[in-house]
């Protein structure tokens, strides 16, 4: 396998031998919902929610990851459990840094010295935030850091040969963001990112229950409803689930029965927004690349695309074939991990690598 830095012409790196994946290099998918850590030679070794619980007075961190997630909505007044990347931007840099450090320390083998690191940050982060992620990684023990774009990582992770001069569309629906990108020759030709993802779907369910049943529920209950009976298109048979919450007027714990049709109605606005972004991006895609996408289909990645009927909805609304990554929640981490193999071809440590390209 060789590489091209510039996306055109012959591969200048062919002369060199491919550096073998150093067994302790680390790739991190720093997601708005979940952070995954891939360690060279081992694969994905950490997969935890991107949550930090800290003391709101002293800033002391109490828990990170799964343990912290348990505390959301259940903490005493002085401890707050937050998702520092919730809307795809780094809302709280210090907390993000703490979280990154925690995950890196968890896998870092100090005897082996400082690893090289690839970090996939959410789409839509600013240059300043990218720099901040790099600095946090260096501070946490990395020797060198590269950031990788999420659609590229998702495509690599899904086994798509991204280095070819063929247009590929990737739709990645995460917790706080959705990104639609067209890639060719290992680089992004077009990309659009919106701050609508799985959380906005949960929020839409929460709002529906308030409006229709005067019932207040927590964010984890909303997510559980989405996963258990949420659909993007009418299924063969509709279902229902009991939902417990607090009645807004009486203030008492209350249970209602919620039907899958109602959840689908609630989910329509965020889904429409994602579909609109896909259609807009398709409209802006140059004709040759659009032809490739019409032939090869749209790749779906990210946990949000696991919503039942989502792939069918995208296919119906765009007229394009649609296929899902084998493991939508893991393919970005997996692809970032595979990119470790090409670390030296990724370009400068301070910019986003735009031209990673792999060829046989
Ligand atoms: P990020 O990259 O932003 O961390 P992920 O790709 O990890 O996001 O996806 C997390 C989102 O996927 C969450 O909003 C979660 O509710 C949603 N999700 C996970 N599994 C399912 C499912 N089976 N159906 C619908 N949504 C799901
Ligand atoms: Mg993601």
């Amino acid at each position: 396998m060789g590489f091209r830095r510039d996306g055109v012409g012959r591969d200048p790196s062919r002369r060199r031998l491919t550096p073998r994946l150093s067994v302790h290099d680390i790739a991190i998918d720093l997601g708005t919902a979940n952070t995954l850590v891939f360690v060279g030679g081992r694969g994905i070794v950490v997969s935890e929610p991107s949550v930090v619980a800290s003391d709101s007075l002293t800033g002391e961190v109490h828990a990170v990851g799964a343990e912290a997630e348990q505390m959301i909505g259940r903490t005493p007044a002085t401890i707050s459990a937050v998702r520092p990347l919730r809307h795809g931007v780094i809302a709280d840099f210090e907390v993000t840094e703490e979280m990154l450090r925690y995950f890196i320390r968890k896998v870092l083998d100090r005897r082996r010295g400082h690893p090289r690191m690839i970090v996939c940050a959410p789409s839509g982060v600013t240059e300043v935030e990218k720099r901040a992620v790099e600095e946090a990684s260096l501070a946490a023990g990395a020797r060198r850091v590269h950031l990788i774009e999420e659609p590229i990582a998702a495509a690599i992770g899904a086994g798509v040969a991204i280095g070819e001069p063929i247009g590929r569309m990737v739709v990645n629906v995460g917790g706080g963001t959705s990104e639609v990108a067209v890639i060719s020759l290992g680089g992004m030709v077009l990309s659009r990112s919106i701050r609508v993802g799985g959380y906005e779907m949960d929020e839409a369910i929460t709002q529906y229950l308030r409006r229709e049943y005067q019932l207040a529920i927590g964010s984890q209950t909303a997510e559980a409803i989405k996963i258990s009976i949420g659909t993007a298109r009418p299924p063969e048979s509709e279902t229902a689930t009991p939902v417990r919450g607090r009645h807004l007027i009486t203030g008492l714990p209350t249970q209602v029965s919620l039907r899958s049709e109602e959840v689908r109605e609630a989910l329509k606005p965020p889904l429409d927004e994602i579909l609109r972004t896909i259609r807009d991006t398709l409209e802006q895609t140059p004709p040759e690349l659009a032809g490739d996408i019409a032939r090869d289909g749209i790749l779906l990645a990210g946990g949000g695309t696991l919503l039942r009927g989502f792939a069918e909805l995208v296919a119906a609304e765009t007229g394009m074939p649609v296929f899902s990554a084998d493991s939508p929640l893991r393919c970005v981490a997996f692809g970032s991990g595979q990119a470790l193999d090409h670390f030296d071809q990724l370009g400068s440590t301070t910019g986003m690598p735009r031209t990673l390209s792999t060829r046989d």
Side-chain angles (χ1 to χ4, degrees), residues 331-348:
C331 70
V332 168
F334 200 60
S336 305
Q338 285 173 278
L340 284 171
D341 251 336
H342 316 316
F343 198 92
D344 290 336
Q345 279 74 43
L346 288 174
S348 127

Side-chain angles (χ1 to χ4, degrees), residues 123 149-155 166-173 178-184 187-194 277-278 281-282 285 289 293 297-300 354:
S123 52
E149 284 152 326
E150 193 160 8
I152 304 266
I166 293 175
R168 317 272 192 189
M169 177 172 273
V170 181
V171 173
N172 182 60
V173 180
S178 295
E179 181 165 39
V180 180
V182 176
I183 59 185
S184 176
M188 302 234 286
V189 178
L190 274 178
S191 87
R192 297 197 50 177
S193 159
I194 52 170
T277 307
I278 298 173
T281 311
L282 278 170
T285 302
L289 301 179
I293 296 165
I298 300 174
L299 169 66
L300 301 185
R354 297 209 158 263

Side-chain angles (χ1 to χ4, degrees), residues 29 31-35 50 150 172-177 197-199 202 223 226-227 302-304 306-308 328-329:
D29 170 13
T32 62
N34 298 296
T35 296
S50 307
E150 193 160 8
N172 182 60
V173 180
T177 56
Y199 294 142
D202 304 345
E223 184 182 33
K226 171 184 72 181
I227 292 175
L306 287 168
L307 179 70
R308 247 177 249 107
L329 285 162

Side-chain angles (χ1 to χ4, degrees), residues 248-271:
L248 287 170
I249 297 166
T250 65
L252 296 174
T254 305
Q255 178 172 319
V256 304
S257 175
L258 186 67
R259 290 176 295 115
S260 50
E261 297 96 305
E262 296 177 283
V263 179
R264 191 162 55 252
E265 181 190 332
L267 292 176
K268 194 168 182 306
L271 290 175

Side-chain angles (χ1 to χ4, degrees), residues 19-32:
R20 287 315 305 160
L21 179 58
S22 171
V23 289
H24 67 305
D25 284 341
I26 295 175
I28 300 181
D29 170 13
L30 182 65
T32 62

Side-chain angles (χ1 to χ4, degrees), residues 82-101:
V82 296
R83 296 185 180 272
L85 297 158
R86 179 147 195 152
H87 295 290
V89 292
I90 297 179
D92 187 330
F93 177 64
E94 277 176 19
V95 175
T96 304
E97 191 178 45
E98 285 283 356
M99 188 173 80
L100 206 48
R101 271 204 198 143

